[in-house]
């Protein structure tokens, strides 16, 4: 019997070699990177993700979505592969923290910027209200509608759950502000059916020192005091009462700012007729409006306009139209506007929404002239 000496095979791959190999193929991850990863363990309040690092990365439940998540299974499945955002660097155990929420957040801002550039109208349901206005979600982001831009006769509290058409007022990712307007969306829809130079019948809904608000088919326009008559008027109250039915001509449509400017001055056959003989003005309204449109067309074509007013005045109607009627109008003119829009939103209405958008809603939106619109 031959004795065979068993010897261990010579191993040329040491622990040091293995560590060096790991280092060679180890990926270097930095916060802010977006990397692919595979879910290999779901835990009650998070999940472990294999992204090729030495230690499995971890995603907490609050970082799984831009929306509220009660269970990790609502978002992730075992062995699922998807993109993850590296939120923090390695901790003392060499573990990275990941986020899906950050990816959704960045893409949501990109989407709303695109929608704003397209001047798109979006729809969203109101999920909360406060003294300043209402809160909605657009692409998962929390947006704010100032009270002066909510066009409904309903109390704000009754808007919760209601779906509203909206236009963008401000999209500012750096300052985390997303401000929208319900009023502007409705005004734009109504204004698409109106034309400058058109005579419309409306109802006086409100009278202010600077003019009267006229409801024309559900949208409100301003008849500024300077556009009531060629004669001087101390106050619109001397000419109109609330609920009066009037004939007015549209002299400006500003869809971007949601404003409609009206005039009865341009419809006067004789200066002062709105004060002395209002019925004559209404009877001659279409005739005077036709002359106004001819004069505007002539002006656009560079032809000297013929005054519409009679020989008793040297005023040329074409030169009578204020360049910006609203310049004389004080901010926050409608009684429906909240007393303090700048206090509009309490902090942290919902803890799972990224950064308190509403905490610094711009005060500037108050300067818009409110327009009351019935849906």
């Amino acid at each position: 019997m031959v004795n065979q000496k068993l010897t261990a095979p010579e191993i040329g791959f040491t622990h040091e070699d293995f560590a060096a190999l790991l280092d060679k193929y180890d990926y270097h991850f930095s916060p802010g990177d977006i990397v692919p990863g595979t879910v290999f363990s779901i835990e009650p309040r998070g999940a472990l993700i294999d992204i090729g690092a030495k230690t499995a990365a971890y995603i907490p439940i609050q970082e799984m979505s831009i929306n509220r998540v009660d269970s990790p299974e609502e978002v992730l499945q075992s062995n699922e592969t998807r993109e993850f955002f590296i939120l923090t660097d390695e901790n003392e155990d060499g573990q990275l923290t990941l986020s899906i929420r950050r990816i959704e957040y960045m893409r949501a801002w990109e989407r709303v910027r695109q929608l704003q550039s397209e001047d798109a109208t979006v729809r969203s349901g109101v999920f909360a209200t406060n003294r300043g206005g209402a809160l909605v979600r657009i692409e998962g982001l929390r947006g704010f509608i100032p009270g002066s831009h909510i066009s409904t006769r309903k109390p704000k509290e009754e808007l919760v759950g209601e779906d509203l058409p909206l236009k963008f007022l401000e999209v500012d990712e750096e300052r985390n502000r997303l401000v929208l307007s319900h009023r502007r969306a409705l005004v734009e829809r109504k204004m698409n059916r109106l034309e400058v130079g058109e005579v419309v019948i409306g109802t006086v809904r409100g009278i202010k020192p600077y003019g009267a608000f006229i409801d024309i088919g559900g949208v409100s326009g301003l008849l500024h005091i300077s556009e009531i008559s060629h004669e001087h008027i101390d106050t619109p109250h001397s000419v109109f009462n609330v609920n009066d039915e009037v004939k007015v001509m549209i002299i400006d449509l500003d869809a971007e700012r949601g404003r409609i400017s009206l005039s009865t001055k341009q419809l006067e056959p004789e200066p002062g007729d709105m004060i002395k003989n209002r019925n004559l003005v209404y009877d001659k309204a279409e005739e005077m409006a036709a002359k106004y449109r001819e004069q505007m067309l002539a002006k656009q074509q560079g032809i000297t306009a013929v005054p519409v007013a009679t020989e008793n005045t040297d005023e040329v109607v074409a030169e009578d139209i204020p360049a910006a009627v609203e310049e004389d109008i004080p901010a926050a003119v409608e009684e429906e506007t909240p007393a303090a829009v700048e206090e509009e939103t309490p902090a942290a209405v919902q803890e799972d929404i990224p950064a308190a958008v509403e905490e610094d809603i711009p005060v500037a939106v108050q300067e818009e002239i409110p327009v009351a619109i019935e849906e």
Side-chain angles (χ1 to χ4, degrees), residues 14 20 25 35 39 84 94 144 146 208 256 265 270 310 337 363:
T14 66
Y25 290 97
V35 297
V39 180
F84 295 89
F144 179 73
K208 300 290 180 181
E256 183 178 344
K265 171 181 177 177
E270 298 284 341
T310 66
T337 305
V363 179

Side-chain angles (χ1 to χ4, degrees), residues 14-70:
T14 66
H15 288 294
E16 290 75 15
D17 293 333
F18 182 68
L21 187 63
L22 283 177
D23 288 337
K24 180 179 178 182
Y25 290 97
D26 185 30
Y27 294 99
H28 296 283
F29 301 102
S30 301
D33 290 346
I34 295 177
V35 297
T38 303
V39 180
F40 74 86
S41 176
I42 295 180
E43 302 184 349
R45 301 301 297 171
L48 293 172
I49 312 296
D50 179 10
I51 61 169
K54 293 179 182 178
T55 305
Y58 182 73
I59 179 168
I61 192 170
Q62 63 267 26
E63 288 297 329
M64 289 186 179
S65 176
I66 200 170
N67 300 310
R68 185 182 180 89
V69 175
D70 295 318

Side-chain angles (χ1 to χ4, degrees), residues 335-348:
E335 44 280 277
E336 292 179 3
T337 305
V341 172
E342 60 273 19
E343 298 176 6
E344 33 228 14
T345 310

